[in-house]
Amino acid sequence: METKITWDGKMKFKGVTPSNFTIIMDSIPEHGGDNEGPTPMELILVALGGCTGMDVISILNKMKEKIESFEINISAERAQEHPKIYTKIHIEYVFKGEDLKEENIKKAIDLSQNKYCSVSAMLRGKAEITYSYKIL
């Protein structure tokens, strides 16, 4: 897998993914940017949510659960000193659907977090990752 990142002036960078999608990254004005895109650290949290979300939906579809809506809320804390990595991450899964089975929801989340989500696996050694869920 390969990617290309090009500097676009100030603190703005353009990344082209291996699947040929373009992502603009930038920084806030206080750090020399124009705030024209997410920061790389913000994208890590988005990647985490996307990774575990895709796992969970895939597993629940195989279990024939009828999900009407699904969202993931992620909160994180970073170290005070450089490299300012994430030290704590909490993932909240929120489901809405008809007759959702709580045991299937829990199983899908546990499988994602403990077996399938590669982003979680990469972060786990550095950050304490916790998670919870709600069924509406």
Side-chain angles (χ1 to χ4, degrees):
M1 196 177 289
E2 296 180 12
T3 188
K4 182 177 182 178
I5 293 86
T6 327
W7 179 50
D8 203 15
K10 291 188 178 182
M11 295 302 286
K12 187 175 173 183
F13 286 81
K14 177 174 68 173
V16 179
T17 68
S19 52
N20 207 33
F21 289 97
T22 300
I23 298 173
I24 302 298
M25 297 170 280
D26 202 356
S27 185
I28 58 176
E30 292 82 20
H31 295 149
D34 289 323
N35 205 29
E36 293 182 1
T39 67
M41 288 299 284
E42 290 172 333
L43 289 174
I44 289 173
L45 295 180
V46 171
L48 172 60
C51 181
T52 189
M54 289 178 191
D55 290 342
V56 168
I57 286 296
S58 176
I59 294 164
L60 290 174
N61 283 340
K62 290 174 186 165
M63 294 176 170
K64 308 285 192 232
E65 291 290 347
K66 292 180 173 51
I67 306 295
E68 292 172 16
S69 68
F70 174 44
E71 69 181 45
I72 300 168
N73 302 305
I74 300 177
S75 56
E77 295 177 21
R78 292 178 69 179
Q80 295 296 312
E81 301 298 320
H82 288 287
K84 296 186 181 182
I85 62 171
Y86 289 116
T87 56
K88 292 183 180 180
I89 300 171
H90 182 76
I91 306 166
E92 178 191 48
Y93 300 84
V94 183
F95 299 88
K96 185 177 180 187
E98 191 174 322
D99 298 321
L100 297 177
K101 293 179 187 75
E102 185 172 2
E103 62 271 14
N104 286 348
I105 298 287
K106 185 175 180 346
K107 183 176 182 178
I109 293 169
D110 288 343
L111 281 169
S112 174
Q113 284 302 308
N114 299 310
K115 184 174 183 179
Y116 294 115
C117 182
S118 51
V119 179
S120 286
M122 290 180 68
L123 292 169
R124 194 170 294 115
K126 299 290 184 179
E128 174 191 345
I129 300 176
T130 57
Y131 49 95
S132 60
Y133 61 90
K134 288 184 196 173
I135 302 172
L136 305 178

